[in-house]
Amino acid sequence: MSLPAAFLSDIAQLIPKNRRFDDPLSTLAFGTDASFYRLIPQLVIRVESEDEVVALLQWAQRDGVPVTFRAAGTSLSGQAISDSVLIVLGDNWNGREIRGQGMQIRLQPGVIGAQANAWLAPFGRKIGPDPASIQACKIGGIVANNSSGMCCGTAQNTYHTLAGIRLVLADGSRLDTEDAASITVFRNRHGALLERLATLGRQTRANTELAARIRHKYRLKNTTGLSLNALVDFDDPLEILSHLLVGSEGTLGFISAVTYNTVVDHPNKASALIVFPNVETCCNAVTVLKTQPVSAVELLDRRSLRSVQNKPGMPAFVQHLSKSACALLIESRAASPSLLREQLALIMKALACFAVEKQIDFTEDPVENARLWAIRKDTFPAVGAVRKTGTTVIIEDVTLPVEQLAIGVNRLIALFDKHHYDEAILFGHALEGNLHFVFTQGFNSAEEITRYQAFMDDVAQLVAVEFGGSLKAEHGTGRNMAPFVELEWGREAYQLMWQLKRLLDPNGILNPDVVLSEDPQIHLKHLKPLPAADELVDKCIECGFCEPVCPSKGLTLSPRQRIVIWRDIQARKRAGVDTAELEAAFQYQGIDTCAATGLCAQRCPVGINTGDLMKKLRSRDADRTKTSEWLATHFATALQGVRFTLHVANGARMLLGAPRLAKLSAQMSRLSKGQVPQWTNAMPQPEKAIRFNPAVTDERPRVVYLAACVSRAMAPSAADKEQMSLYEKTRSLLEKAGYQVVIPENLESLCCGQPFASKGYAEQADHKRQELIGALLQASRGGLDPIYCDTSPCTLRLVQNPGETCLDLYDPVRFIRTHLMDRLDFTPQQAPIAVHVTCSTQHLGESQALIDLARRCANTVVIPEGIHCCGFAGDKGFTTPELNAHALRSLNRAVHSCSEGISTSRTCEIGLSQHGGIDYHGLVYLVDRVTKARAH
């Protein structure tokens, strides 16, 4: 059914066109979350204020239009999709207020969970919930799903750490439980609603059998259905209402802010992996550990261990464990090292009576800790990586009474065998009896759907009926467990949930068929297709973990959405459907605006680099092979051409003036569709060519200096306070540290090939890379001398095949930290410095080292939040400037206290200078300024 005209008309008056999406590409892109369902919304609205939400809900209520709220879309149970109106959080929902030295924190729903913890870290505190998706999921979803995690248990989830909430109900009315005036207004206008909630609470508490059942259910981890514990835990109707919203999955109202009572984040921790000979022994050990000072106990069945046994860094013994083995990954945390060691002794004493097949003793080493936890964290993606193309990965989430855990684990494994889910694995938060099981499922035939239905029916009967457990422990009910809520809770409790739903959402407009549904088959409908698209991305499970680091998210598409669209295009082509319109839209939305820097691969559970697919598609369309070959062969001439262009631009600036030139070039860039670069105040001046001087023989150690083509062509901008070139500054620093600087011969003709690779000309790119490697081998005397590259993207490209050559290559960060620290004396400056960690620096593993170096050089270091990639992406800052502008839209506010920024990429620094409003320079400028040669 189409949306009412009056509703659309009102929205058009309120929401700008660039925040309303109803085109086929956008609605398809937003039609997916991390679950195995798909619903295509008729309209997607990006909201930026609570006032907008209020108006939208009032109109939706008036016209009976269903709406669904979406934060990060990492929901695993189909909570964040809609076939009506999808309301998505925009940029302006990132507010926070830290109170009482971190004892409380008030957050808006758009804050990513990990960011909240980063703000609290200086106080030794964190929020209670710790979902596995905390690097991507947002507070709105964490609250709405009552998410928990590995250490959270039941005591530290949102429900139990809630200090206050601000909400909007289905009729558009607002309530802030921390604002006396808001409470007064709400009581006056909604007295009947509050009285009804109070009555339902009294009736529920008076019903001793029902009240006892509710209390029992919430001793377990439980997110099945609505939060009925609010009715037995509180008698104040405002408290009841507040806590009902927690875990309601957007079906009772919109959460516009939440205040948490934070929890201690102990700095000292140790982990151990203990493998028991069978499930029974393992689960008996869990029962003993319940009384010990442990913060996390993760169970991994033999299948889980088998799924990761061949991964690098895994203990060799994992491959040779017995068939019945079952492991516990145990972590303990404490306020001091001595207390931690006391705790470890107690834990090991408690476990001494259990038979053990293999074990890795407790270690406090952070590297070893990370390696152990990688075993647990890699299990889910391990299943995703080996699944057949076209199938999806399903992760279910149940709770069993801990005392029945062993029986329950074996019964679940028996169900895997019964329904032929041979690849299924089982792991979970053992202290809570919370088990996750992961399996692959195709939905391409009626037989496969029937198999899934039979399996879920058996799981529901086993967990909810036989064991009295929870069918959803922490992932939220969603639409995949909505048909089983009554089975788990019983008719009386189920009808009580419906009373609450109809009281708070009388017209049923909020996220219908989620949590509560009158359709017993809803979990078998709207199943998401995952058709083959390209082997580079076919393993994508559409989880959305990639999205926070993508510079184009919010401007065009995210990596997840690019894959969704490309999958659909390929499926349509195979079906003989015309895809011309969709492909035309995808050219800009998907291909042209992808920075292709590969940060998405770092966050992806299965390591997918969506940028590789976009570069492959650019290669398909790269039809200027002869031009590319000419440029590769005549690179020195091409470099001179770049300098000439910059010289002309600089002359135009002097002739026309900067404001007029900026306006004129912006118009020309638009008309030429990016063929004419856009001039800004940060545009470089032309650099002089570097003269080759043969190396001389002296006592100094040699370093081969590879000046990247961009630093050979681009001098500082005319507006930059610093006019010394990167080449001169680098050479000066290296010589100050006592090095003889060697320049490769024929430098003007050399290039790492990155400009060709980014345009899709792989052959020419590889040719230039090999040519450069040959020249560097010669300059470094066969790899004897270290090679310093002044731009981190070029370094990354040269080291992309480790072991290929004997070259000793360094980016600026690694060279300074390994070769210059003992040759220079540092005197940190008082002036604050901004740091941008480039994508290539992150890929090179030098992020923290860059930050540490900056802190060695300046007493105050600012690292802007939420900026992972600047979006300049080689030349896209010139040809697609909106990508750079979007990626750095929050930079100016973040660095206003600084007069300078540093980075390790000349092109990135152009965009950073323009959008940050301060000059950005290479790291060497800062290091040179604050150092003196150490006397020997």
Side-chain angles (χ1 to χ4, degrees):
M1 194 172 74
S2 59
L3 300 174
F7 180 78
L8 293 173
S9 175
D10 286 337
I11 285 174
Q13 299 297 313
L14 177 70
I15 307 292
K17 196 172 188 305
N18 65 348
R19 292 199 276 119
R20 288 181 279 121
F21 310 94
D22 59 3
D23 60 285
L25 182 140
S26 298
T27 53
L28 176 61
F30 279 104
T32 194
D33 62 6
S35 74
F36 50 96
Y37 297 100
R38 172 178 288 172
L39 287 171
I40 308 299
Q42 296 179 59
L43 178 64
V44 180
I45 302 170
R46 184 174 287 129
V47 292
E48 295 291 2
S49 71
E50 187 183 82
D51 286 346
E52 290 179 353
V53 174
V54 168
L56 288 170
L57 286 178
Q58 288 172 340
W59 296 330
Q61 183 91 325
R62 178 195 70 195
D63 297 327
V65 175
V67 297
T68 295
F69 308 117
R70 179 174 178 141
T74 55
S75 313
L76 290 162
S77 305
Q79 300 98 312
I81 52 176
S82 170
D83 58 3
S84 179
V85 174
L86 189 65
I87 298 176
V88 179
L89 296 180
D91 286 341
N92 295 331
W93 296 94
N94 289 311
R96 94 273 194 168
E97 177 192 348
I98 297 173
R99 303 173 182 168
Q101 293 296 298
M103 297 299 287
Q104 285 190 341
I105 187 168
R106 185 166 171 93
L107 298 162
Q108 285 190 292
V111 172
I112 291 173
Q115 182 61 66
N117 284 341
W119 292 328
L120 289 166
F123 305 99
R125 312 285 295 182
K126 64 186 182 76
I127 61 171
D130 60 341
S133 58
I134 198 164
Q135 294 286 341
C137 68
K138 296 181 177 178
I139 293 299
I142 291 174
V143 178
N145 290 292
N146 197 22
S147 306
S148 43
M150 284 184 266
C151 301
C152 172
T154 51
Q156 295 183 350
N157 62 20
T158 299
Y159 182 94
H160 287 295
T161 57
L162 184 72
I165 197 167
R166 184 175 176 91
L167 56 90
V168 182
L169 293 182
D171 63 358
S173 56
R174 310 179 216 217
L175 169 65
D176 188 335
T177 64
E178 295 185 306
D179 183 335
S182 173
I183 292 171
T184 300
V185 170
F186 193 85
R187 286 190 189 279
N188 290 337
R189 294 181 180 174
H190 292 84
L193 183 149
L194 291 174
E195 180 52 40
R196 182 62 184 145
L197 285 175
T199 300
L200 285 173
R202 287 192 296 271
Q203 291 172 349
T204 304
R205 294 189 295 275
N207 185 335
T208 53
E209 187 178 337
L210 177 58
R213 178 162 178 73
I214 292 169
R215 291 189 179 101
H216 166 72
K217 292 286 291 177
Y218 287 103
R219 288 189 188 99
L220 306 173
K221 262 191 180 181
N222 179 20
T223 58
T224 308
L226 298 176
S227 299
L228 292 184
N229 45 343
L231 296 170
V232 298
D233 291 343
F234 304 99
D235 56 9
D236 180 348
L238 286 175
E239 290 282 11
I240 292 173
L241 178 58
S242 299
H243 288 81
L244 278 172
L245 264 287
V246 177
S248 63
E249 302 174 35
T251 65
L252 300 182
F254 174 79
I255 298 160
S256 58
V258 65
T259 302
Y260 277 106
N261 291 317
T262 62
V263 302
V264 175
D265 186 16
H266 288 306
N268 301 282
K269 60 184 179 181
S271 300
L273 180 70
I274 302 180
V275 184
F276 300 91
N278 52 56
V279 169
E280 290 76 16
T281 307
C282 187
C283 292
N284 289 336
V286 172
T287 306
V288 170
L289 289 170
K290 284 280 282 185
T291 61
Q292 297 302 312
V294 292
S295 58
V297 177
E298 293 292 296
L299 181 147
L300 298 109
D301 75 343
R302 183 64 184 99
R303 297 173 187 231
S304 296
L305 294 166
R306 191 176 294 117
S307 72
V308 296
Q309 66 186 20
N310 295 317
K311 284 187 171 286
M314 289 297 127
F317 70 72
V318 175
Q319 295 190 33
H320 307 293
L321 294 173
S322 64
K323 186 178 179 182
S324 60
C326 192
L328 293 179
L329 178 58
I330 306 168
E331 182 174 275
S332 185
R333 298 183 178 185
S336 69
S338 58
L339 182 57
L340 177 62
R341 283 169 200 135
E342 281 182 27
Q343 292 180 180
L344 300 184
L346 286 171
I347 295 166
M348 293 312 295
K349 184 179 178 182
L351 293 175
C353 60
F354 293 99
V356 171
E357 186 169 322
K358 288 283 184 180
Q359 75 180 54
I360 296 177
D361 294 333
F362 274 106
T363 174
E364 298 173 54
D365 181 346
V367 175
E368 288 302 314
N369 259 312
R371 189 171 290 143
L372 287 178
W373 280 96
I375 297 175
R376 160 65 176 85
K377 291 174 181 176
D378 284 348
T379 49
F380 175 38
V383 175
V386 298
R387 79 181 196 279
K388 291 180 182 176
T389 299
T391 64
T392 189
V393 180
I394 297 177
I395 178 167
E396 282 301 349
D397 163 44
V398 302
T399 307
L400 302 170
V402 174
E403 59 274 13
Q404 295 178 286
L405 191 58
I407 304 168
V409 168
N410 283 327
R411 291 285 302 279
L412 281 168
I413 291 172
L415 285 184
F416 301 155
D417 294 335
K418 175 184 174 182
H419 295 280
H420 306 293
Y421 289 106
D422 302 323
E423 78 297 336
I425 64 171
L426 191 147
F427 55 86
H429 316 316
L431 287 178
E432 307 296 333
N434 176 195
L435 298 174
H436 300 308
F437 49 95
V438 182
F439 57 100
T440 63
Q441 174 70 53
F443 292 119
N444 299 318
S445 69
E447 290 77 16
E448 278 293 286
I449 294 172
T450 300
R451 178 170 75 123
Y452 172 72
Q453 180 180 11
F455 175 64
M456 291 311 297
D457 286 346
D458 280 356
V459 168
Q461 190 67 29
L462 175 71
V463 174
V465 179
E466 288 190 45
F467 285 90
S470 307
L471 287 168
K472 280 294 181 183
E474 54 184 4
H475 293 169
T477 311
R479 58 188 68 240
N480 63 327
M481 281 300 175
F484 301 103
V485 176
E486 184 173 5
L487 177 74
E488 176 176 328
W489 274 97
R491 181 161 184 79
E492 190 173 22
Y494 185 62
Q495 289 305 318
L496 179 56
M497 291 180 192
W498 272 112
Q499 285 186 65
L500 292 165
K501 169 70 172 171
R502 288 167 182 145
L503 176 64
L504 295 171
D505 181 21
N507 294 337
I509 63 166
L510 299 180
N511 218 1
D513 284 325
V514 168
V515 181
L516 303 175
S517 177
E518 293 173 331
D519 184 350
Q521 302 289 305
I522 195 65
H523 65 308
L524 304 174
K525 296 177 178 177
H526 314 298
L527 299 167
K528 182 198 293 181
L530 288 175
D534 188 286
E535 60 183 11
L536 290 171
V537 297
D538 281 342
K539 298 303 180 189
C540 174
I541 53 180
E542 298 183 9
C543 64
F545 285 13
C546 56
E547 292 188 335
V549 296
C550 176
S552 65
K553 182 185 180 290
L555 172 70
T556 52
L557 299 176
S558 71
R560 165 167 64 174
Q561 292 174 329
R562 285 182 168 89
I563 294 170
V564 167
I565 300 301
W566 192 243
R567 278 175 164 161
D568 196 70
I569 287 171
Q570 298 311 300
R572 291 186 192 207
K573 281 185 170 180
R574 285 193 292 271
V577 178
D578 183 11
T579 61
E581 186 178 340
L582 194 57
E583 287 198 73
F586 187 66
Q587 181 64 45
Y588 175 77
Q589 298 273 340
I591 300 172
D592 293 349
T593 51
C594 177
T597 53
L599 286 190
C600 47
Q602 293 192 353
R603 294 292 186 95
C604 175
V606 290
I608 292 169
N609 184 340
T610 311
D612 284 346
L613 174 62
M614 298 304 107
K615 286 193 278 190
K616 183 176 179 179
L617 297 181
R618 288 172 191 165
S619 178
R620 177 198 64 178
D621 299 331
D623 55 3
R624 297 181 179 176
T625 306
K626 288 187 177 179
T627 303
S628 176
E629 287 174 351
W630 187 91
L631 289 170
T633 308
H634 301 84
F635 196 78
T637 306
L639 210 57
Q640 275 300 104
V642 172
R643 293 190 185 104
F644 178 74
T645 303
L646 291 173
H647 184 74
V648 170
N650 203 39
R653 174 191 62 82
M654 291 187 284
L655 184 66
L656 299 172
R660 192 180 300 173
L661 177 59
K663 187 175 179 181
L664 180 64
S665 76
Q667 291 172 342
M668 291 176 66
S669 183
R670 267 197 310 274
L671 290 172
S672 68
K673 296 184 178 178
Q675 295 297 309
V676 176
Q678 186 169 324
W679 188 91
T680 72
N681 267 331
M683 183 68 79
Q685 298 178 99
E687 182 59 273
K688 297 186 292 290
I690 297 171
R691 290 187 179 180
F692 170 73
N693 291 310
V696 295
T697 303
D698 62 23
E699 296 290 316
R700 295 176 298 170
R702 289 163 43 116
V703 58
V704 175
Y705 175 20
L706 170 61
C709 56
V710 288
S711 50
R712 301 198 304 267
M714 299 177 179
S717 72
D720 198 327
K721 299 183 195 75
E722 174 63 76
Q723 287 296 302
M724 183 179 277
S725 73
L726 177 61
Y727 167 73
E728 291 169 326
K729 183 64 70 174
T730 304
R731 182 159 196 151
S732 168
L733 177 65
L734 292 173
E735 289 178 342
K736 181 202 294 186
Y739 279 91
Q740 179 190 174
V741 179
V742 178
I743 304 299
E745 283 191 64
N746 200 26
L747 182 62
E748 281 291 274
S749 298
L750 300 178
C751 171
C752 71
Q754 183 65 37
F756 298 92
S758 65
K759 298 295 183 187
Y761 297 97
E763 187 178 330
Q764 290 76 19
D766 189 59
H767 168 71
K768 294 305 293 181
R769 180 174 176 272
Q770 293 302 327
E771 183 183 46
L772 175 56
I773 286 172
L776 293 175
L777 276 168
Q778 182 180 349
S780 64
R781 300 181 292 177
L784 186 65
D785 304 316
I787 299 162
Y788 176 101
C789 180
D790 64 10
T791 304
S792 54
C794 299
T795 315
L796 179 64
R797 178 160 171 80
L798 289 170
V799 301
Q800 65 187 12
N801 296 322
E804 180 187 45
T805 71
C806 56
L807 294 177
D808 193 14
L809 276 154
Y810 294 82
D811 76 316
V813 180
R814 183 167 167 250
F815 191 85
I816 291 168
R817 72 174 174 80
T818 57
H819 285 68
L820 301 191
M821 298 298 283
D822 60 351
R823 292 172 168 269
L824 300 171
D825 287 323
F826 287 73
T827 305
Q829 66 179 39
Q830 292 300 316
I833 199 85
V835 175
H836 176 72
V837 183
T838 66
C839 305
S840 45
T841 302
Q842 294 175 60
H843 284 303
L844 289 165
E846 296 291 337
S847 304
Q848 191 57 49
L850 172 58
I851 295 165
D852 291 345
L853 264 175
R855 287 175 175 152
R856 185 81 177 260
C857 297
N859 290 326
T860 304
V861 172
V862 175
I863 304 157
E865 293 166 4
I867 297 175
H868 303 275
C869 170
C870 72
F872 206 92
D875 65 350
K876 285 200 174 295
F878 299 130
T879 62
T880 317
E882 64 272 26
L883 176 62
N884 185 223
H886 178 76
L888 298 180
R889 62 196 182 279
S890 63
L891 180 63
N892 189 276
R893 286 194 308 274
V895 301
H896 70 275
S897 63
C898 305
S899 58
E900 183 188 24
I902 61 161
S903 180
T904 55
S905 169
R906 182 67 190 93
T907 50
C908 294
E909 288 147 22
I910 298 168
L912 290 163
S913 298
Q914 180 190 350
H915 297 290
I918 60 174
D919 294 331
Y920 271 79
H921 304 124
L923 171 65
V924 292
Y925 286 83
L926 176 64
V927 173
D928 184 59
R929 184 186 313 134
V930 303
T931 58
K932 291 182 179 177
R934 181 171 295 178
H936 290 285

